[in-house]
Amino acid sequence: MSVVYINSAACISIQDTLNAQFFQNLKSENFTQIVKAIEPNYKEFIPPAMSRRMSKTVKMSSVASHFALKEAGIEKPDAIIVGTGMGCSQDSEKFLKNVLENNEEFLTPTYFIQSTHNTVAGQIALGLQCHAYNFTYVNTSSALEFSFLDAKLQINDGEADNILVGSTDEQTDRTMALYKLNNTIKKDENFPVDYLQSTTDGVIWAEGASFFVLGKNKTEKSYAQLKDIKISSRLDVAETQQFIEDFLAKNDLTNNDIDAVILGFSGDAKSDVYYTETMDLFNDSALLYYKHLSGEFNTASGFSTFMACHILKNQEIPEVMMINTVKKEGIKNILLYNHLGGNDHSLVLLEKA
């Protein structure tokens, strides 16, 4: 299979990740149940008349994709693939609210039309006037990984040269209220959160959008090689190490070949045991975590991929991400491991470009 490169990376998150100096200004979030993304001034990128009709996830994705395409020097990609867990949930809630308040009569179709999960990919294509392959994956926490897999296969099969791949999720008031009721979100008495040694269930919920341009050719701006992806919807804790070792063996690697491992510790004691189990495999690797910087949401792995790209390009690991004290002279291979609540496990292997 031919090499696939990540030639650009852009992210909107609870950090100021659109700022060129974000790497030095990362701040941990330990005290708030729900954290909102730091949004750009949308007027600079989207006409106000259009912006008013867009949900937050569409606006975040439009701007993040703009930055990704600009950095890669691509005007129109050969395909647009977006992964999302919740889709345009703000418009979904507005539509359902209208159904209830109007007794299912005299409904305007706008919210319904814009509530579908593929609205994001469609709006990006409309803005670019791009008529190429356009697809949306809705696979909870592995939606981005499925999108990467699709893009990788298309590039390897010669069907595309440059593909825009992204992930996005937004918050909605009703869903957040339900998440508090079912204890998905941590209770007030469980703060501040110790992500690595948590003894309580639940997470800090956030939102964000991450976009990348994958290409078959290496460029001066290339961040990484996308080597391989593995996804499993269900996994027992006892199977974790074998799951990872099989993946490494498939790529002719051993544990010692991995310079850094980025784990999705979320502060949820019940599901973080998978990551604790993983750490025992990598005594000689730099162990990192990231959800204290991004919060938890369906496609939070987009943030970890974004960070991994910058770590490989800069050959530098932010201190705020480090679990142990291992520091390699050079960072060549990074393994990303993520799941959401113990389901939909994904492994992504990145190599220095």
Side-chain angles (χ1 to χ4, degrees):
M1 297 177 82
S2 60
V3 176
V4 174
Y5 292 95
I6 299 178
N7 290 332
S8 71
C11 179
I12 292 175
S13 67
I14 66 173
Q15 306 291 330
D16 191 11
T17 35
L18 287 181
N19 189 319
Q21 305 302 318
F22 82 93
F23 215 61
Q24 287 76 40
N25 299 310
L26 296 167
K27 295 178 182 177
S28 180
E29 180 54 67
N30 304 80
F31 293 94
T32 312
Q33 287 181 307
I34 299 165
V35 192
K36 295 190 179 298
I38 297 174
E39 298 177 85
N41 182 0
Y42 291 122
K43 292 178 183 177
E44 296 178 9
F45 307 97
I46 307 167
M50 289 179 63
S51 182
R52 281 194 294 272
R53 295 194 297 270
M54 290 180 171
S55 68
K56 188 174 185 178
T57 196
V58 173
K59 290 190 282 189
M60 289 193 300
S61 300
S62 297
V63 174
S65 62
H66 166 81
F67 275 93
L69 290 167
K70 184 178 178 181
E71 184 181 20
I74 303 292
E75 289 187 11
K76 284 188 185 180
D78 300 317
I80 297 171
I81 308 172
V82 175
T84 181
M86 301 290 285
C88 298
S89 46
Q90 287 184 1
D91 283 328
S92 299
E93 283 193 8
K94 287 175 183 175
F95 173 72
L96 291 172
K97 188 178 179 183
N98 277 353
V99 170
L100 294 171
E101 290 179 349
N102 294 292
N103 200 27
E104 301 182 23
E105 297 178 340
F106 314 117
L107 301 173
T108 55
T110 309
Y111 290 139
F112 176 74
I113 293 167
Q114 294 178 342
S115 70
T116 56
H117 288 70
N118 61 355
T119 298
V120 174
Q123 288 282 4
I124 293 170
L126 282 170
L128 297 172
Q129 289 297 294
C130 176
H131 304 286
Y133 177 91
N134 192 288
F135 206 83
T136 300
Y137 284 90
V138 186
N139 301 81
T140 59
S141 65
S142 54
L144 175 62
E145 288 75 12
F146 274 105
S147 302
F148 275 148
L149 191 58
D150 186 350
K152 192 173 191 300
L153 289 170
Q154 287 200 47
I155 292 171
N156 284 330
D157 290 344
E159 295 179 15
D161 291 342
N162 295 288
I163 299 178
L164 178 67
V165 180
S167 63
T168 183
D169 275 297
E170 66 187 3
Q171 298 166 354
T172 53
D173 294 339
R174 181 63 178 159
T175 303
M176 293 304 100
L178 292 172
Y179 279 4
K180 286 180 181 178
L181 283 174
N182 72 3
N183 298 325
T184 296
I185 293 173
K186 278 198 185 293
K187 296 180 182 296
D188 283 329
E189 59 264 28
N190 295 329
F191 287 87
V193 178
D194 183 343
Y195 283 82
L196 300 177
Q197 305 291 336
S198 177
T199 56
T200 59
D201 296 339
V203 300
I204 289 175
W205 202 264
E207 60 188 353
S210 302
F211 276 77
F212 311 87
V213 171
L214 271 55
K216 73 171 188 177
N217 297 319
K218 182 179 178 180
T219 70
E220 291 180 359
K221 296 181 179 179
S222 293
Y223 285 87
Q225 296 179 42
L226 179 61
K227 298 295 286 185
D228 202 5
I229 300 150
K230 186 176 183 178
I231 301 162
S232 177
S233 61
R234 296 287 184 274
L235 195 69
D236 291 333
V237 175
E239 299 172 327
T240 308
Q241 293 190 5
Q242 194 63 51
F243 174 66
I244 294 169
E245 287 179 328
D246 290 347
F247 177 67
L248 295 178
K250 180 192 167 194
N251 288 280
D252 299 319
L253 296 172
T254 66
N255 307 7
N256 295 330
D257 294 318
I258 302 301
D259 301 305
V261 184
I262 302 183
L263 302 167
F265 278 101
S266 64
D268 178 45
K270 186 169 56 181
S271 62
D272 279 349
V273 290
Y274 288 96
Y275 302 125
T276 306
E277 192 78 7
T278 301
M279 289 199 299
D280 294 336
L281 284 176
F282 298 99
N283 294 322
D284 298 321
S285 305
L287 298 174
L288 316 176
Y289 69 128
Y290 68 94
K291 285 180 182 171
H292 60 310
L293 304 175
S294 70
E296 178 69 285
F297 54 101
N298 284 270
T299 50
S301 60
F303 183 87
S304 70
T305 308
F306 175 76
M307 292 304 301
C309 286
H310 281 274
I311 288 169
L312 285 169
K313 193 168 189 177
N314 300 337
Q315 290 292 293
E316 178 188 353
I317 297 173
E319 292 284 341
V320 72
M321 292 182 69
M322 296 184 69
I323 299 173
N324 61 3
T325 56
V326 175
K327 289 186 179 180
K328 296 291 185 79
E329 287 186 14
I331 305 166
K332 182 184 178 185
N333 295 307
I334 295 183
L335 179 68
L336 286 69
Y337 177 27
N338 185 60
H339 63 72
L340 180 63
N343 297 317
D344 298 295
H345 301 256
S346 65
L347 297 171
V348 176
L349 179 63
L350 299 181
E351 184 180 313
K352 188 176 183 294

Short mmCIF file of all heavy atoms in Angstrom, two decimals, residues 1-7 152 218 221-229 247-248 251-253 257-260 262 305 308-315 330-336 347-353:
data_model
loop_
_atom_site.label_atom_id
_atom_site.label_comp_id
_atom_site.label_asym_id
_atom_site.label_seq_id
_atom_site.Cartn_x
_atom_site.Cartn_y
_atom_site.Cartn_z
N MET A 1 0.84 -1.20 0.00
CA MET A 1 0.00 0.00 0.00
C MET A 1 0.88 1.25 0.00
O MET A 1 1.92 1.29 0.64
CB MET A 1 -0.91 0.01 1.23
CG MET A 1 -1.90 -1.15 1.27
SD MET A 1 -2.91 -1.16 2.78
CE MET A 1 -4.15 0.04 2.32
N SER A 2 0.44 2.26 -0.73
CA SER A 2 1.24 3.48 -0.83
C SER A 2 1.11 4.30 0.46
O SER A 2 0.19 4.12 1.25
CB SER A 2 0.75 4.32 -2.02
OG SER A 2 -0.60 4.68 -1.86
N VAL A 3 2.05 5.20 0.65
CA VAL A 3 2.08 6.03 1.85
C VAL A 3 1.02 7.13 1.74
O VAL A 3 0.82 7.71 0.68
CB VAL A 3 3.47 6.66 2.03
CG1 VAL A 3 3.49 7.60 3.23
CG2 VAL A 3 4.53 5.57 2.19
N VAL A 4 0.35 7.40 2.85
CA VAL A 4 -0.63 8.49 2.91
C VAL A 4 -0.12 9.51 3.92
O VAL A 4 0.22 9.17 5.05
CB VAL A 4 -2.02 7.97 3.34
CG1 VAL A 4 -2.99 9.13 3.53
CG2 VAL A 4 -2.56 7.00 2.30
N TYR A 5 -0.05 10.76 3.50
CA TYR A 5 0.49 11.83 4.35
C TYR A 5 -0.62 12.73 4.88
O TYR A 5 -1.61 12.99 4.18
CB TYR A 5 1.49 12.68 3.56
CG TYR A 5 2.75 11.96 3.18
CD1 TYR A 5 2.89 11.36 1.93
CD2 TYR A 5 3.82 11.86 4.07
CE1 TYR A 5 4.05 10.69 1.59
CE2 TYR A 5 4.99 11.20 3.74
CZ TYR A 5 5.10 10.61 2.49
OH TYR A 5 6.25 9.94 2.15
N ILE A 6 -0.44 13.20 6.10
CA ILE A 6 -1.29 14.27 6.63
C ILE A 6 -0.57 15.58 6.34
O ILE A 6 0.45 15.89 6.93
CB ILE A 6 -1.53 14.10 8.15
CG1 ILE A 6 -2.23 12.77 8.43
CG2 ILE A 6 -2.37 15.27 8.68
CD1 ILE A 6 -2.46 12.49 9.92
N ASN A 7 -1.11 16.33 5.39
CA ASN A 7 -0.42 17.52 4.88
C ASN A 7 -0.89 18.83 5.51
O ASN A 7 -0.31 19.89 5.25
CB ASN A 7 -0.56 17.60 3.36
CG ASN A 7 0.24 16.50 2.67
OD1 ASN A 7 1.26 16.05 3.19
ND2 ASN A 7 -0.21 16.06 1.51
N LYS A 152 -7.86 6.83 3.33
CA LYS A 152 -6.62 6.07 3.08
C LYS A 152 -6.83 5.06 1.96
O LYS A 152 -5.97 4.90 1.07
CB LYS A 152 -6.20 5.37 4.37
CG LYS A 152 -4.78 4.79 4.36
CD LYS A 152 -4.42 4.26 5.74
CE LYS A 152 -2.95 3.92 5.85
NZ LYS A 152 -2.51 2.89 4.91
N LYS A 218 4.12 13.71 -0.35
CA LYS A 218 4.69 14.48 0.75
C LYS A 218 4.98 15.90 0.28
O LYS A 218 5.42 16.12 -0.84
CB LYS A 218 5.99 13.81 1.23
CG LYS A 218 6.65 14.51 2.40
CD LYS A 218 7.91 13.78 2.82
CE LYS A 218 8.60 14.51 3.97
NZ LYS A 218 9.84 13.83 4.41
N LYS A 221 5.05 20.95 4.00
CA LYS A 221 4.25 21.17 5.20
C LYS A 221 3.71 19.89 5.82
O LYS A 221 2.96 19.93 6.79
CB LYS A 221 3.09 22.11 4.87
CG LYS A 221 3.54 23.50 4.44
CD LYS A 221 2.35 24.40 4.14
CE LYS A 221 2.80 25.80 3.74
NZ LYS A 221 1.66 26.68 3.41
N SER A 222 4.09 18.73 5.29
CA SER A 222 3.57 17.46 5.79
C SER A 222 3.87 17.28 7.27
O SER A 222 4.98 17.54 7.74
CB SER A 222 4.14 16.29 4.99
OG SER A 222 3.68 16.31 3.66
N TYR A 223 2.87 16.80 8.01
CA TYR A 223 3.02 16.57 9.45
C TYR A 223 3.43 15.13 9.75
O TYR A 223 4.28 14.88 10.60
CB TYR A 223 1.69 16.83 10.17
CG TYR A 223 1.34 18.28 10.33
CD1 TYR A 223 0.67 18.98 9.33
CD2 TYR A 223 1.67 18.98 11.49
CE1 TYR A 223 0.33 20.32 9.48
CE2 TYR A 223 1.33 20.31 11.67
CZ TYR A 223 0.67 20.97 10.65
OH TYR A 223 0.35 22.30 10.80
N ALA A 224 2.76 14.19 9.09
CA ALA A 224 2.94 12.79 9.48
C ALA A 224 2.50 11.86 8.35
O ALA A 224 1.82 12.28 7.41
CB ALA A 224 2.12 12.50 10.73
N GLN A 225 2.91 10.61 8.50
CA GLN A 225 2.37 9.54 7.66
C GLN A 225 1.26 8.84 8.46
O GLN A 225 1.45 8.52 9.63
CB GLN A 225 3.44 8.51 7.32
CG GLN A 225 4.59 9.01 6.49
CD GLN A 225 5.60 7.92 6.23
OE1 GLN A 225 5.25 6.79 5.94
NE2 GLN A 225 6.88 8.26 6.34
N LEU A 226 0.13 8.64 7.82
CA LEU A 226 -0.94 7.86 8.43
C LEU A 226 -0.70 6.39 8.08
O LEU A 226 -1.01 5.94 6.98
CB LEU A 226 -2.30 8.33 7.90
CG LEU A 226 -3.54 7.59 8.43
CD1 LEU A 226 -3.65 7.73 9.94
CD2 LEU A 226 -4.80 8.11 7.75
N LYS A 227 -0.12 5.66 9.03
CA LYS A 227 0.34 4.30 8.74
C LYS A 227 -0.79 3.27 8.77
O LYS A 227 -0.92 2.46 7.87
CB LYS A 227 1.43 3.90 9.74
CG LYS A 227 2.69 4.76 9.68
CD LYS A 227 3.41 4.63 8.35
CE LYS A 227 4.12 3.29 8.25
NZ LYS A 227 4.92 3.20 7.00
N ASP A 228 -1.58 3.29 9.83
CA ASP A 228 -2.61 2.26 9.94
C ASP A 228 -3.66 2.66 10.98
O ASP A 228 -3.42 3.52 11.83
CB ASP A 228 -1.98 0.92 10.32
CG ASP A 228 -2.86 -0.27 9.95
OD1 ASP A 228 -3.92 -0.05 9.31
OD2 ASP A 228 -2.50 -1.42 10.28
N ILE A 229 -4.83 1.99 10.88
CA ILE A 229 -5.96 2.24 11.77
C ILE A 229 -6.60 0.91 12.14
O ILE A 229 -6.71 0.02 11.28
CB ILE A 229 -7.02 3.14 11.08
CG1 ILE A 229 -6.41 4.49 10.68
CG2 ILE A 229 -8.22 3.37 11.99
CD1 ILE A 229 -7.06 5.10 9.47
N PHE A 247 -2.00 -5.27 16.63
CA PHE A 247 -1.95 -4.13 15.72
C PHE A 247 -0.50 -3.75 15.41
O PHE A 247 -0.15 -3.50 14.24
CB PHE A 247 -2.68 -2.94 16.37
CG PHE A 247 -2.64 -1.67 15.58
CD1 PHE A 247 -3.30 -1.56 14.37
CD2 PHE A 247 -1.96 -0.54 16.07
CE1 PHE A 247 -3.28 -0.36 13.65
CE2 PHE A 247 -1.94 0.64 15.36
CZ PHE A 247 -2.60 0.73 14.14
N LEU A 248 0.35 -3.72 16.42
CA LEU A 248 1.77 -3.39 16.21
C LEU A 248 2.46 -4.45 15.37
O LEU A 248 3.23 -4.14 14.46
CB LEU A 248 2.48 -3.23 17.56
CG LEU A 248 2.02 -2.07 18.44
CD1 LEU A 248 2.79 -2.07 19.76
CD2 LEU A 248 2.20 -0.73 17.73
N ASN A 251 2.03 -4.20 11.77
CA ASN A 251 2.83 -3.13 11.17
C ASN A 251 4.33 -3.32 11.37
O ASN A 251 5.11 -2.38 11.23
CB ASN A 251 2.39 -1.78 11.74
CG ASN A 251 1.03 -1.34 11.23
OD1 ASN A 251 0.91 -0.83 10.13
ND2 ASN A 251 -0.01 -1.56 12.03
N ASP A 252 4.71 -4.58 11.71
CA ASP A 252 6.13 -4.94 11.90
C ASP A 252 6.81 -4.08 12.95
O ASP A 252 7.96 -3.66 12.80
CB ASP A 252 6.90 -4.84 10.56
CG ASP A 252 6.34 -5.80 9.52
OD1 ASP A 252 6.01 -6.94 9.88
OD2 ASP A 252 6.22 -5.39 8.36
N LEU A 253 6.07 -3.80 14.02
CA LEU A 253 6.61 -2.99 15.12
C LEU A 253 6.49 -3.75 16.44
O LEU A 253 5.63 -4.63 16.58
CB LEU A 253 5.85 -1.67 15.24
CG LEU A 253 5.93 -0.68 14.07
CD1 LEU A 253 4.95 0.47 14.29
CD2 LEU A 253 7.34 -0.15 13.90
N ASP A 257 9.31 0.17 19.68
CA ASP A 257 9.40 1.04 18.50
C ASP A 257 8.49 2.27 18.62
O ASP A 257 8.58 3.20 17.82
CB ASP A 257 9.02 0.27 17.23
CG ASP A 257 10.02 -0.83 16.90
OD1 ASP A 257 11.23 -0.56 17.04
OD2 ASP A 257 9.59 -1.94 16.53
N ILE A 258 7.60 2.25 19.60
CA ILE A 258 6.65 3.36 19.77
C ILE A 258 7.28 4.41 20.69
O ILE A 258 7.57 4.15 21.85
CB ILE A 258 5.32 2.87 20.36
CG1 ILE A 258 4.69 1.80 19.46
CG2 ILE A 258 4.35 4.04 20.55
CD1 ILE A 258 4.40 2.26 18.04
N ASP A 259 7.50 5.59 20.14
CA ASP A 259 8.16 6.66 20.91
C ASP A 259 7.21 7.37 21.86
O ASP A 259 7.62 7.85 22.91
CB ASP A 259 8.79 7.66 19.94
CG ASP A 259 9.81 7.00 19.03
OD1 ASP A 259 10.74 6.37 19.55
OD2 ASP A 259 9.65 7.08 17.80
N ALA A 260 5.94 7.47 21.47
CA ALA A 260 4.96 8.14 22.32
C ALA A 260 3.59 7.48 22.14
O ALA A 260 3.23 7.08 21.03
CB ALA A 260 4.87 9.63 21.99
N ILE A 262 -0.45 8.26 23.01
CA ILE A 262 -1.42 9.25 23.47
C ILE A 262 -2.70 8.53 23.86
O ILE A 262 -3.37 7.92 23.03
CB ILE A 262 -1.70 10.31 22.39
CG1 ILE A 262 -0.40 11.02 21.97
CG2 ILE A 262 -2.70 11.34 22.91
CD1 ILE A 262 -0.59 12.13 20.96
N THR A 305 -5.29 13.67 17.47
CA THR A 305 -4.61 13.55 16.18
C THR A 305 -3.93 14.86 15.81
O THR A 305 -2.80 14.88 15.32
CB THR A 305 -5.61 13.16 15.07
OG1 THR A 305 -6.34 12.00 15.48
CG2 THR A 305 -4.90 12.87 13.76
N ALA A 308 -0.87 15.16 17.99
CA ALA A 308 0.15 14.22 17.53
C ALA A 308 0.87 14.74 16.30
O ALA A 308 2.09 14.61 16.16
CB ALA A 308 -0.47 12.85 17.25
N CYS A 309 0.11 15.36 15.39
CA CYS A 309 0.71 15.94 14.18
C CYS A 309 1.74 17.01 14.54
O CYS A 309 2.84 17.05 13.98
CB CYS A 309 -0.38 16.54 13.28
SG CYS A 309 -1.37 15.32 12.41
N HIS A 310 1.39 17.88 15.49
CA HIS A 310 2.30 18.94 15.89
C HIS A 310 3.50 18.40 16.67
O HIS A 310 4.62 18.93 16.54
CB HIS A 310 1.55 20.00 16.71
CG HIS A 310 0.76 20.95 15.86
ND1 HIS A 310 1.30 22.09 15.30
CD2 HIS A 310 -0.52 20.89 15.43
CE1 HIS A 310 0.38 22.72 14.60
NE2 HIS A 310 -0.74 22.01 14.66
N ILE A 311 3.29 17.36 17.46
CA ILE A 311 4.40 16.75 18.20
C ILE A 311 5.41 16.15 17.21
O ILE A 311 6.63 16.32 17.37
CB ILE A 311 3.87 15.67 19.17
CG1 ILE A 311 3.15 16.34 20.35
CG2 ILE A 311 5.02 14.79 19.69
CD1 ILE A 311 2.37 15.37 21.22
N LEU A 312 4.92 15.48 16.19
CA LEU A 312 5.82 14.89 15.19
C LEU A 312 6.56 15.95 14.39
O LEU A 312 7.74 15.82 14.09
CB LEU A 312 5.03 13.98 14.24
CG LEU A 312 4.60 12.63 14.81
CD1 LEU A 312 3.60 11.95 13.88
CD2 LEU A 312 5.82 11.72 15.01
N LYS A 313 5.85 17.02 14.05
CA LYS A 313 6.47 18.07 13.23
C LYS A 313 7.46 18.89 14.04
O LYS A 313 8.56 19.21 13.58
CB LYS A 313 5.39 18.98 12.66
CG LYS A 313 5.90 19.91 11.56
CD LYS A 313 4.75 20.57 10.84
CE LYS A 313 5.22 21.32 9.61
NZ LYS A 313 4.11 21.92 8.85
N ASN A 314 7.10 19.22 15.29
CA ASN A 314 7.97 20.05 16.13
C ASN A 314 9.02 19.25 16.88
O ASN A 314 9.95 19.83 17.44
CB ASN A 314 7.12 20.83 17.15
CG ASN A 314 6.11 21.76 16.49
OD1 ASN A 314 6.29 22.17 15.36
ND2 ASN A 314 5.05 22.08 17.22
N GLN A 315 8.81 17.92 16.95
CA GLN A 315 9.69 17.05 17.75
C GLN A 315 9.76 17.54 19.19
O GLN A 315 10.80 17.56 19.82
CB GLN A 315 11.08 16.98 17.12
CG GLN A 315 11.12 16.20 15.80
CD GLN A 315 10.85 14.72 16.00
OE1 GLN A 315 11.64 14.00 16.61
NE2 GLN A 315 9.72 14.25 15.47
N GLY A 330 14.44 11.45 19.52
CA GLY A 330 13.65 11.73 18.32
C GLY A 330 12.31 11.02 18.42
O GLY A 330 12.22 9.93 18.98
N ILE A 331 11.27 11.65 17.90
CA ILE A 331 9.93 11.05 17.94
C ILE A 331 9.57 10.63 16.52
O ILE A 331 9.34 11.48 15.65
CB ILE A 331 8.90 12.04 18.50
CG1 ILE A 331 9.35 12.55 19.88
CG2 ILE A 331 7.53 11.40 18.60
CD1 ILE A 331 8.58 13.77 20.35
N LYS A 332 9.51 9.33 16.30
CA LYS A 332 9.21 8.80 14.97
C LYS A 332 7.80 8.21 14.89
O LYS A 332 7.03 8.53 14.00
CB LYS A 332 10.23 7.74 14.56
CG LYS A 332 10.00 7.18 13.17
CD LYS A 332 10.98 6.07 12.83
CE LYS A 332 10.68 5.49 11.44
NZ LYS A 332 11.53 4.32 11.13
N ASN A 333 7.47 7.33 15.84
CA ASN A 333 6.17 6.65 15.83
C ASN A 333 5.32 7.05 17.02
O ASN A 333 5.78 7.00 18.16
CB ASN A 333 6.37 5.12 15.86
CG ASN A 333 7.06 4.60 14.62
OD1 ASN A 333 6.63 4.87 13.50
ND2 ASN A 333 8.14 3.86 14.80
N ILE A 334 4.07 7.44 16.74
CA ILE A 334 3.12 7.76 17.80
C ILE A 334 1.89 6.87 17.65
O ILE A 334 1.33 6.75 16.56
CB ILE A 334 2.70 9.24 17.77
CG1 ILE A 334 3.90 10.16 18.06
CG2 ILE A 334 1.60 9.52 18.78
CD1 ILE A 334 3.54 11.64 18.13
N LEU A 335 1.47 6.27 18.76
CA LEU A 335 0.27 5.45 18.78
C LEU A 335 -0.82 6.20 19.53
O LEU A 335 -0.61 6.66 20.65
CB LEU A 335 0.55 4.11 19.46
CG LEU A 335 -0.64 3.15 19.59
CD1 LEU A 335 -1.06 2.63 18.22
CD2 LEU A 335 -0.31 1.99 20.52
N LEU A 336 -2.00 6.32 18.93
CA LEU A 336 -3.15 6.97 19.56
C LEU A 336 -4.19 5.92 19.90
O LEU A 336 -4.57 5.10 19.05
CB LEU A 336 -3.78 8.00 18.62
CG LEU A 336 -3.06 9.33 18.40
CD1 LEU A 336 -1.77 9.14 17.62
CD2 LEU A 336 -3.95 10.30 17.65
N LEU A 347 -7.36 2.49 17.35
CA LEU A 347 -5.92 2.69 17.37
C LEU A 347 -5.53 3.37 16.07
O LEU A 347 -5.97 2.97 14.99
CB LEU A 347 -5.18 1.35 17.48
CG LEU A 347 -5.40 0.54 18.76
CD1 LEU A 347 -4.76 -0.85 18.60
CD2 LEU A 347 -4.83 1.25 19.97
N VAL A 348 -4.71 4.40 16.17
CA VAL A 348 -4.18 5.10 14.98
C VAL A 348 -2.67 5.17 15.13
O VAL A 348 -2.16 5.59 16.18
CB VAL A 348 -4.78 6.51 14.84
CG1 VAL A 348 -4.14 7.24 13.65
CG2 VAL A 348 -6.28 6.44 14.67
N LEU A 349 -1.97 4.75 14.09
CA LEU A 349 -0.51 4.79 14.09
C LEU A 349 -0.01 5.87 13.15
O LEU A 349 -0.33 5.85 11.95
CB LEU A 349 0.06 3.43 13.66
CG LEU A 349 1.59 3.30 13.58
CD1 LEU A 349 2.21 3.50 14.96
CD2 LEU A 349 1.98 1.94 13.01
N LEU A 350 0.73 6.83 13.70
CA LEU A 350 1.30 7.91 12.89
C LEU A 350 2.81 7.83 12.93
O LEU A 350 3.40 7.46 13.96
CB LEU A 350 0.87 9.28 13.44
CG LEU A 350 -0.62 9.60 13.47
CD1 LEU A 350 -0.84 11.01 14.03
CD2 LEU A 350 -1.24 9.49 12.09
N GLU A 351 3.44 8.14 11.80
CA GLU A 351 4.90 8.15 11.71
C GLU A 351 5.35 9.50 11.20
O GLU A 351 4.66 10.13 10.39
CB GLU A 351 5.38 7.03 10.79
CG GLU A 351 6.89 6.90 10.70
CD GLU A 351 7.31 5.78 9.77
OE1 GLU A 351 6.77 4.67 9.87
OE2 GLU A 351 8.19 6.03 8.90
N LYS A 352 6.50 9.92 11.64
CA LYS A 352 7.06 11.21 11.20
C LYS A 352 7.15 11.24 9.67
O LYS A 352 7.60 10.30 9.05
CB LYS A 352 8.44 11.42 11.81
CG LYS A 352 9.04 12.80 11.57
CD LYS A 352 10.36 12.92 12.30
CE LYS A 352 10.95 14.32 12.15
NZ LYS A 352 11.32 14.64 10.77
N ALA A 353 6.71 12.35 9.09
CA ALA A 353 6.73 12.47 7.62
C ALA A 353 8.15 12.57 7.11
O ALA A 353 9.04 13.09 7.79
CB ALA A 353 5.94 13.71 7.22
#
